[in-house]
C-alpha cells in the first residue's frame, strides 16, 4: 500500500509522508484501533483520517502504552474522534477484578473505553458519548433516528 507503513504494534497503518496533498485531502477513513505516537497521530490527522480508540487505552500495563495513548487524546479533534470495541479483542483491562473480565470484548463494554476517553479529555462521559455518536453517525451516513439515544 503506497504511502502507508505498519507501525509495528497494531493492525493499523500510518502514513509515511509519501502522500501528495491532493490525494490526502480527498481521503476519508477511520484509522481503526489507533495505538501510535504523537507524530503518527499528526500524520493521520493531516490525511483527514478519523481516529478510532479501543480498549487498548484501558490497558494500564506500562509496556502496552495505554497511558501514552490516553495522553494523546486531547490532541484528537472532537469531530474526528471515534470510540470502538475491536470486538472480540481488547476487552478493557479496567474491568476489575481481573477474573470478572470477559475473555471476549463486545459493544456492552464500550463504556469502559468511554470513561478513559472522557477522563483524558477532561469532558463528561455524556459529552463524549454524544459527540462520538454524532461523529460516527455522520461518518457512516446513519439517519438520526437510527442512532441510539438521539432524536430526529
Amino acid at each position: 500500500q503506497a504511502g502507508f507503513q505498519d507501525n509495528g504494534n497494531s493492525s493499523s497503518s500510518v502514513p509515511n509522508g509519501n502522500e501528495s496533498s491532493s490525494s490526502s485531502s480527498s481521503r476519508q477513513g477511520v484509522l481503526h484501533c489507533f495505538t501510535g505516537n504523537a507524530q503518527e497521530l499528526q500524520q493521520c490527522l493531516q490525511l483527514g483520517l478519523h481516529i478510532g480508540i479501543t480498549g487498548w487505552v484501558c490497558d494500564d500495563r506500562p509496556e502496552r502504552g495505554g497511558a501514552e495513548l490516553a495522553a494523546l487524546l486531547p490532541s484528537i479533534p472532537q469531530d474526528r474522534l471515534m470510540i470502538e470495541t475491536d470486538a472480540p479483542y481488547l476487552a478493557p483491562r479496567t474491568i476489575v477484578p481481573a477474573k470478572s473480565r470477559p475473555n471476549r470484548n463486545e459493544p456492552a463494554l464500550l463504556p469502559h473505553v468511554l470513561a478513559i476517553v472522557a477522563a483524558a479529555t477532561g469532558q463528561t462521559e455524556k459529552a463524549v458519548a454524544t459527540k462520538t455518536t454524532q461523529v460516527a453517525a455522520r461518518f457512516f451516513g446513519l439517519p438520526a433516528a437510527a442512532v441510539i439515544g438521539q432524536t430526529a
Side-chain angles (χ1 to χ4, degrees):
Q1 309 252 5
F4 287 86
Q5 62 189 18
D6 181 32
N7 70 6
N9 63 357
S10 77
S11 61
S12 61
S13 297
V14 295
N16 67 13
N18 294 331
E19 293 291 313
S20 70
S21 60
S22 61
S23 66
S24 64
S25 64
S26 63
R27 175 173 286 123
Q28 186 169 42
V30 178
L31 189 88
H32 164 66
C33 192
F34 179 78
T35 58
N37 61 34
Q39 179 183 359
E40 293 165 334
L41 174 61
Q42 289 309 310
Q43 290 173 329
C44 292
L45 292 172
Q46 287 172 1
L47 285 174
L49 296 174
H50 288 65
I51 307 298
I53 301 298
T54 66
W56 194 280
V57 76
C58 300
D59 197 327
D60 59 356
R61 296 173 291 180
E63 70 275 11
R64 301 294 284 187
E68 289 85 357
L69 179 57
L72 292 176
L73 294 177
S75 302
I76 302 172
Q78 287 187 15
D79 65 344
R80 302 238 228 116
L81 175 63
M82 293 185 184
I83 57 175
E84 53 180 325
T85 65
D86 198 28
Y89 308 106
L90 298 174
R93 292 184 55 85
T94 50
I95 299 171
V96 290
K99 62 183 169 182
S100 67
R101 185 179 315 125
N103 291 328
R104 179 181 167 92
N105 197 359
E106 60 183 61
L109 302 178
L110 203 54
H112 294 275
V113 176
L114 173 66
I116 298 293
V117 171
T121 59
Q123 300 178 66
T124 66
E125 290 180 24
K126 181 176 172 115
V128 173
T130 298
K131 185 62 179 175
T132 56
T133 299
Q134 290 170 346
V135 168
R138 184 176 57 251
F139 182 87
F140 292 108
L142 300 174
V147 180
I148 297 173
Q150 302 291 315
T151 57

